[in-house]
Amino acid sequence: MIDLSNIHKSYITGTNRLHVLKGIDLHVKKGELVSIMGSSGSGKSTLLNIIGILDIHDEGDYRLNGQLIHNINETKAAALRNKFIGFVFQSFNLISFKTALENVALPLYYQGVSRKKRNRMAAEYLDKMGLLDWSDHMPNELSGGQKQRLAIARAMIHQPKVILADEPTGALDSQTSYEMMDLLQAINREGITIIIVTHERDIAERTNRIIRLRDGNIGDDHQNGIKKETTGVFNRP
């Protein structure tokens, strides 16, 4: 599903060049539930942004579902994101002046789905999240857990093959964080590939595979309790 080979990424600020990713080799199969850990500045979010085609790598090869991601413009990148990828963020990234229903329906608007159909589908996903009664509420009227459920519904509505979650429990208390992981695990059991960036060990331990970044390289890779050194839809819980 996701294949990265010798991925490098640098940023230029003034006369300084920051080499963030230094030859990443990463292969994630369809249906895996993976967490990425690492200290601040290790390259976690940069790697997730490249996988999500929000940023472009400088060197190396990236294939998403067999398609080479290389020299694509923003229109093509947006089309690929809308087809393959759903995003969940720590800050929820909800639109404050739109209702819960409108927030969830938004990806379908960009796909050209009619208002009637996208609102019907959004209501179905809100119902799956236990939020149907909150359809007409604004994001500021929801709790943190409700906002994240709303964000997950929005990520799922266009039926992506991959969910990318950047610190999805970072703004939540412990109990709500575990509820979110229950939900993400349930989504994963439906065959959706999920990659989670997290700094929380207890969250990472609920994934099937843990990848640790160190200074722009993959330091180690734990899968099913085995450490491999390296170089380089769903039900309500």
Side-chain angles (χ1 to χ4, degrees):
M1 174 59 66
I2 293 168
D3 291 292
L4 299 100
S5 299
N6 194 35
I7 296 294
H8 289 259
K9 179 65 181 180
S10 297
Y11 295 101
I12 307 297
T13 55
T15 58
N16 297 320
R17 179 175 178 269
L18 180 62
H19 196 178
V20 180
L21 300 180
K22 305 171 183 176
I24 294 289
D25 292 315
L26 177 62
H27 309 284
V28 178
K29 297 177 182 178
K30 181 181 185 299
E32 281 199 272
L33 176 57
V34 177
S35 58
I36 299 176
M37 301 189 75
S39 60
S40 178
S42 62
K44 304 186 301 295
S45 292
T46 297
L47 178 58
L48 202 70
N49 286 342
I50 288 173
I51 294 172
I53 326 177
L54 294 171
D55 203 350
I56 301 298
H57 53 286
D58 299 327
E59 300 177 35
D61 289 329
Y62 170 31
R63 294 182 184 273
L64 174 63
N65 199 40
Q67 181 170 344
L68 183 65
I69 308 300
H70 181 67
N71 286 341
I72 59 174
N73 59 33
E74 178 52 32
T75 300
K76 180 76 174 293
L80 287 169
R81 289 194 297 266
N82 216 14
K83 180 178 180 181
F84 289 107
I85 301 170
F87 296 93
V88 179
F89 301 97
Q90 176 179 350
S91 57
F92 315 123
N93 282 21
L94 301 173
I95 298 176
S96 62
F97 56 85
K98 290 188 178 292
T99 66
L101 184 79
E102 291 169 334
N103 267 280
V104 174
L106 193 59
L108 298 183
Y109 169 81
Y110 291 114
Q111 287 187 349
V113 176
S114 70
R115 179 188 296 272
K116 182 178 180 180
K117 182 176 180 180
R118 67 179 184 257
N119 285 349
R120 175 181 58 79
M121 291 180 65
E124 291 174 359
Y125 276 84
L126 284 172
D127 192 25
K128 291 175 180 179
M129 293 291 104
L131 292 174
L132 187 58
D133 292 342
W134 296 82
S135 297
D136 296 328
H137 287 252
M138 297 296 184
N140 65 0
E141 299 176 296
L142 305 179
S143 69
Q146 288 174 320
K147 289 178 183 177
Q148 199 58 292
R149 283 180 176 272
L150 184 59
I152 291 172
R154 181 185 58 189
M156 289 295 298
I157 194 169
H158 64 293
Q159 300 177 330
K161 297 181 182 296
V162 179
I163 295 287
L164 301 180
D166 194 355
E167 300 283 2
T169 61
L172 307 175
D173 60 62
S174 294
Q175 180 176 345
T176 309
S177 295
Y178 296 147
E179 291 174 359
M180 289 304 103
M181 282 306 300
D182 288 340
L183 182 54
L184 289 172
Q185 287 174 316
I187 292 169
N188 175 250
R189 287 194 291 271
E190 295 294 322
I192 306 297
T193 305
I194 299 180
I195 300 177
I196 300 171
V197 163
T198 183
H199 66 276
E200 300 170 273
R201 183 181 298 274
D202 54 343
I203 296 301
E205 287 176 350
R206 296 188 62 177
T207 65
N208 304 126
R209 181 180 172 193
I210 303 174
I211 295 166
R212 285 184 171 82
L213 293 188
R214 297 193 183 103
D215 299 322
N217 290 293
I218 294 179
D220 54 66
D221 184 338
H222 296 255
Q223 189 168 17
N224 297 325
I226 300 174
K227 182 176 180 180
K228 180 181 65 176
E229 292 297 333
T230 65
T231 58
V233 155
F234 50 99
N235 300 310
R236 288 185 61 200

